[in-house]
């Protein structure tokens, strides 16, 4: 008998009747206690928060929600537990109760998200929490969600929070967090395929999920995931799928133009906003609050270009990577957002002196990689003949090549955007940038 076979959701995973269907052709276990969580107001709000936010300005189909994604991640958690339940080292580390906590955490992993969360988090502004911390707002003892967790699951809200935002450090918790947020976690496994599907591009689906899951084992230390040798090729394909999705979707130049416009608007308006109240709002109310606050301000035109009757995105004027013009790239990449705004202000003043056209305070924007970096794809491959664990990068020329070229430095470019009227002022903007973005 499977060690976790008595968990209702694991029992329903293969051929059960308590299921809900989500794209693409996935049957997610939907037991009474899953329904009890999903039907709470705290979870239902995720159905009104888009997964990719501003990406839909470029990829019209990218209107899927955090709600759908949460069910997909939960489905992956069930599949991971079914596979890892065959590994005696895993079942020795995670009790049945631990496995149920992991399932609840997977279902609720995006609970703290608010609309357009990632662009806001990337600015690291005072008073803006990480979304994992904000999840605590919905897991207070008096919420319906917390009460359902306790009564239906026998899981304390604090146990879920401890997986989402590390507080306690044990090998079993590190193993659970590796499944939820690690190199081959259940979150990436879902969003790569789901985002690819809804954007209408093939890149995020070009890896073998089934083979990857079948290869899951526990690492040598017993506190994280590793892969058996049969998962090597599937892992390489997942690395490349993630690389291409960042290059072609998440950091597409027009997506980043919209993101830069939104970030500049939020930065301008956030001192006058009630952030805890704003972050509890669903997307339509959130946008209404933001656009109302933006009236008669320097960013009114930006918000109108994003959310008004006509789409008007700033145009890409200049672009730098670490491979091309590394000096300018390194001066701007990973700068705190406040510093980027100071440079932008100087840039606008310098361009205004060179241009025959009027230059407004939000007509030129700098978009640069944020301070934090993406999780590196560091996972070990177990070689049964040698009985050794070796880093994937040491046995894969594909991953080794990507590791040598820093993921963020190559995919996440520094870009200068400007209004359509100023797009032809490339030489003036370039000359002004060289003068004003020094150390």
């Amino acid at each position: 008998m499977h060690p976790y076979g008595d968990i209702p959701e694991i029992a329903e995973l293969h051929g059960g009747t308590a299921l809900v269907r989500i794209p693409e052709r996935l049957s997610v276990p939907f037991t009474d206690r899953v329904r009890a969580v999903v039907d709470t107001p705290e979870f239902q709000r995720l159905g009104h928060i888009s997964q990719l936010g501003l990406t839909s300005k470029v990829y019209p189909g990218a209107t899927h929600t955090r709600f759908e994604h949460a069910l997909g991640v939960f489905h992956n958690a069930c599949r991971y537990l079914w596979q890892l339940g065959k590994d005696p080292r895993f079942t020795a580390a995670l009790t049945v109760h631990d496995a149920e906590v992991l399932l609840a955490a997977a279902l609720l992993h995006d609970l703290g998200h608010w609309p357009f969360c990632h662009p806001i988090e990337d600015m690291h502004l005072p008073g803006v929490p990480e979304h994992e911390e904000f999840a605590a707002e919905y897991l207070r003892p008096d919420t319906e969600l917390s009460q359902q967790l306790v009564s239906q699951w026998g899981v304390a809200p604090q146990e879920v929070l401890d997986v989402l935002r590390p507080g306690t450090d044990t090998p079993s918790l590190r193993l659970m967090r590796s499944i939820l947020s690690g190199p081959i976690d259940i979150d990436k496994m879902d969003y790569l395929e789901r985002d690819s599907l809804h954007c209408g591009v093939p890149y995020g689906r070009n890896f073998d999920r089934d083979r990857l899951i079948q290869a899951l084992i526990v690492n040598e230390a017993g506190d994280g995931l590793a892969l058996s040798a049969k998962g090597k090729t599937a892992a390489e394909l997942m690395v490349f799928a993630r690389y291409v999705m960042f290059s072609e979707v998440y950091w597409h130049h027009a997506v980043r133009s919209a993101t830069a416009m939104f970030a500049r608007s939020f930065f301008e308006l956030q001192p006058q906003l009630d952030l805890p109240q704003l972050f509890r709002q669903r997307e339509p109310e959130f946008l209404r609050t933001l656009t109302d606050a933006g009236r008669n301000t320097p960013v009114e035109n930006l918000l109108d270009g994003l959310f008004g009757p006509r789409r008007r995105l700033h145009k890409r004027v200049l672009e730098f990577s670490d491979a091309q013009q590394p000096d300018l790239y390194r001066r701007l990449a990973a700068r705190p957002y406040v510093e980027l705004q100071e440079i932008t202000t100087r840039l606008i003043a310098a361009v205004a002196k060179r241009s025959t056209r009027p230059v407004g305070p939000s007509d030129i924007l700098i978009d640069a990689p944020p301070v934090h970096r993406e999780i590196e794809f560091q996972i070990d491959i177990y070689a049964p003949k040698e009985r050794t664990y070796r880093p994937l990068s040491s046995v894969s020329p594909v991953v080794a090549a990507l590791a040598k070229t820093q993921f963020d430095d190559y995919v996440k470019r520094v870009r200068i955007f400007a209004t359509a009227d100023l797009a032809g002022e490339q030489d003036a903007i370039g000359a002004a940038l060289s003068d004003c973005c020094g150390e």
Side-chain angles (χ1 to χ4, degrees):
M1 182 176 177
H2 194 281
Y4 302 125
D6 289 336
I7 297 175
E9 295 72 33
I10 302 301
E12 292 288 345
L13 183 61
H14 300 289
T17 56
L19 301 169
V20 64
R21 301 296 296 271
I22 61 172
E24 185 174 36
R25 300 190 300 275
L26 293 182
S27 298
V28 182
F30 205 65
T31 60
D32 288 344
R33 65 179 188 172
V34 172
R35 184 190 301 273
V37 165
V38 167
D39 284 348
T40 63
E42 294 81 14
F43 193 93
Q44 283 291 312
R45 61 182 283 279
L46 297 178
H48 303 271
I49 299 174
S50 59
Q51 171 76 6
L52 291 182
L54 296 155
T55 304
S56 63
K57 301 296 176 184
V58 179
Y59 293 96
T63 56
H64 54 302
T65 65
R66 294 275 165 189
F67 185 102
E68 180 186 324
H69 170 60
L71 291 174
V73 172
F74 171 72
H75 181 255
N76 284 338
C78 294
R79 294 190 65 191
Y80 272 47
L81 284 172
W82 176 263
Q83 176 62 35
L84 288 163
K86 303 172 186 177
D87 185 340
R89 295 178 65 224
F90 184 86
T91 56
L94 257 65
T95 66
V96 169
H97 180 73
D98 290 335
E100 292 182 300
V101 170
L102 177 61
L103 288 176
L107 190 58
L108 300 175
H109 80 288
D110 273 353
L111 183 66
H113 267 274
W114 56 84
F116 310 101
C117 184
H118 286 306
I120 294 173
E121 281 185 315
D122 283 347
M123 290 189 280
H124 295 285
L125 301 176
V128 176
E130 297 291 329
H131 70 268
E132 292 89 354
E133 296 175 13
F134 202 67
E137 293 290 314
Y138 305 106
L139 287 171
R140 298 189 312 271
D142 60 337
T143 64
E144 183 180 333
L145 175 56
S146 289
Q147 292 164 7
Q148 294 292 355
L149 279 176
V150 173
S151 63
Q152 299 293 321
W153 288 72
V155 169
Q158 187 56 46
E159 291 182 283
V160 173
L161 286 171
D162 205 14
V163 178
L164 300 182
R165 49 165 201 183
T168 307
D169 184 28
T170 65
S172 60
L173 275 168
R174 289 198 296 273
L175 182 52
M176 292 162 71
R177 291 170 191 142
S178 173
I179 292 171
L180 189 58
S181 181
I184 50 169
D185 62 53
I186 54 180
D187 185 23
K188 291 185 191 68
M189 186 78 74
D190 184 77
Y191 78 63
L192 285 174
E193 181 159 2
R194 190 164 309 285
D195 294 351
S196 178
L197 172 68
H198 286 285
C199 287
V201 299
Y203 315 122
R205 287 173 284 167
N206 287 339
F207 68 97
D208 191 340
R209 296 173 71 218
D210 292 341
R211 188 68 164 174
L212 204 54
I213 292 173
Q214 290 165 5
L216 291 170
I217 57 174
V218 178
N219 67 9
E220 189 170 15
D223 62 355
L225 294 181
L227 293 170
S228 64
K230 67 182 181 181
K232 172 180 169 290
T233 300
E236 290 174 319
L237 289 171
M238 185 178 182
V239 172
F240 194 71
R242 185 163 168 264
Y243 165 77
V244 178
M245 282 296 287
F246 267 89
S247 177
E248 300 301 315
V249 176
Y250 308 135
W251 276 72
H252 182 286
H253 66 90
V255 172
R256 293 309 303 179
S257 173
T259 302
M261 293 169 68
F262 178 87
R264 174 69 180 88
S265 301
F266 186 86
F267 180 78
E268 176 77 20
L269 301 175
Q270 61 94 17
Q272 68 190 69
L273 298 171
D274 182 341
L275 295 185
Q277 182 183 34
L278 180 70
F279 292 163
R280 290 187 183 92
Q281 292 178 347
R282 299 179 179 192
E283 201 160 298
E285 292 81 14
F286 185 103
L287 290 178
R288 198 154 46 240
T289 299
L290 209 61
T291 51
D292 285 348
R295 289 199 179 96
N296 301 314
T297 72
V299 297
E300 181 176 20
N301 64 315
L302 297 180
L303 291 169
D304 186 61
L306 287 172
F307 308 116
R310 293 181 60 197
R311 189 191 80 148
R312 289 180 288 104
L313 300 184
H314 278 35
K315 304 299 182 182
R316 176 179 48 175
V317 178
L318 298 169
E319 180 175 276
F320 316 116
S321 71
D322 195 41
Q324 298 172 325
Q325 295 185 275
D327 183 54
L328 280 172
Y329 175 86
R330 291 169 190 172
R331 290 185 189 183
L332 295 170
R335 285 245 192 172
Y337 191 81
V338 173
E339 291 183 13
L340 276 183
Q341 285 312 299
E342 293 170 354
I343 295 170
T344 303
T345 300
R346 297 200 301 269
L347 175 61
I348 288 172
V351 172
K353 292 178 181 179
R354 291 172 164 86
S355 176
T356 58
R357 296 181 175 87
V359 184
S362 60
D363 287 354
I364 299 174
L365 303 170
I366 299 176
D367 181 51
V371 173
H372 71 272
R373 288 178 172 267
E374 295 298 319
I375 296 173
E376 297 291 340
F377 201 97
Q378 297 175 341
I379 190 153
D380 289 343
I381 301 292
Y382 179 67
K385 291 183 179 180
E386 297 84 6
R387 296 184 180 180
T388 58
Y389 292 82
R390 298 177 61 189
L392 176 60
S393 59
S394 72
V395 296
S396 165
V398 173
V399 176
L402 287 174
K404 289 175 183 176
T405 303
Q406 285 291 329
F407 181 90
D408 288 73
D409 293 344
Y410 194 81
V411 174
K412 296 184 177 182
R413 312 223 170 164
V414 171
R415 294 181 173 114
I416 313 300
F417 297 106
T419 59
D421 289 343
L422 288 172
E425 303 277 345
Q426 181 175 1
D427 292 342
I429 293 174
L433 183 67
S434 297
D435 292 341
C436 69
C437 75
E439 297 295 336

